[in-house]
Amino acid sequence: SKTTITDFNIHRLLGEGAYGKVLYAQSKKTLKEYAIKSIDKFFLSKLNKIHEAFIEREMLSSILSHPNIPKLITSFQSKDKLYYVLPYFKSGS
């Protein structure tokens, strides 16, 4: 089955960026903690930045192993948003 935002309990906002928000979430199934980047599609298309969002996804998913850069676990989308699921680091931004 496809991953959707309803598979997670969203607990709080971790940060906000130019195109979206980063949310602290837990998988409803496993209770694992994640940072989920939520990107507004309308805002991306208005600013002509869709290409950059896909480049970011490709970069995050191609990282092999780096202590300071989280590797993309999965990505999915809704009608309005792109979502990038990343490991949650208690200490990091």
Side-chain angles (χ1 to χ4, degrees):
S1 67
K2 279 178 55 174
T3 304
T4 70
I5 197 65
T6 59
D7 295 327
F8 300 91
N9 287 316
I10 307 299
H11 292 292
R12 68 179 185 275
L13 182 68
L14 293 174
E16 285 188 79
Y19 313 120
K21 301 175 165 128
V22 179
L23 309 163
Y24 167 68
Q26 265 183 309
S27 164
K28 288 179 181 175
K29 211 181 285 177
T30 66
L31 300 181
K32 271 190 167 175
E33 299 173 304
Y34 297 102
I36 299 180
K37 187 170 186 175
S38 158
I39 304 165
D40 187 299
K41 285 182 180 178
F42 174 76
F43 196 68
L44 277 181
S45 78
K46 205 172 91 170
L47 294 178
N48 232 353
K49 298 287 184 188
I50 292 170
H51 185 66
E52 279 88 337
F54 286 104
I55 289 172
E56 179 181 17
R57 186 187 72 191
E58 291 308 307
M59 285 172 49
L60 288 171
S61 61
S62 67
I63 294 163
L64 296 174
S65 178
H66 191 286
N68 302 322
I69 303 171
K71 182 174 172 61
L72 185 70
I73 294 165
T74 190
S75 62
F76 56 93
Q77 58 183 304
S78 67
K79 187 168 72 73
D80 305 319
K81 296 189 184 330
L82 298 175
Y83 296 99
Y84 298 163
V85 180
L86 303 157
Y88 171 68
F89 296 115
K90 284 179 177 59
S91 60
S93 57

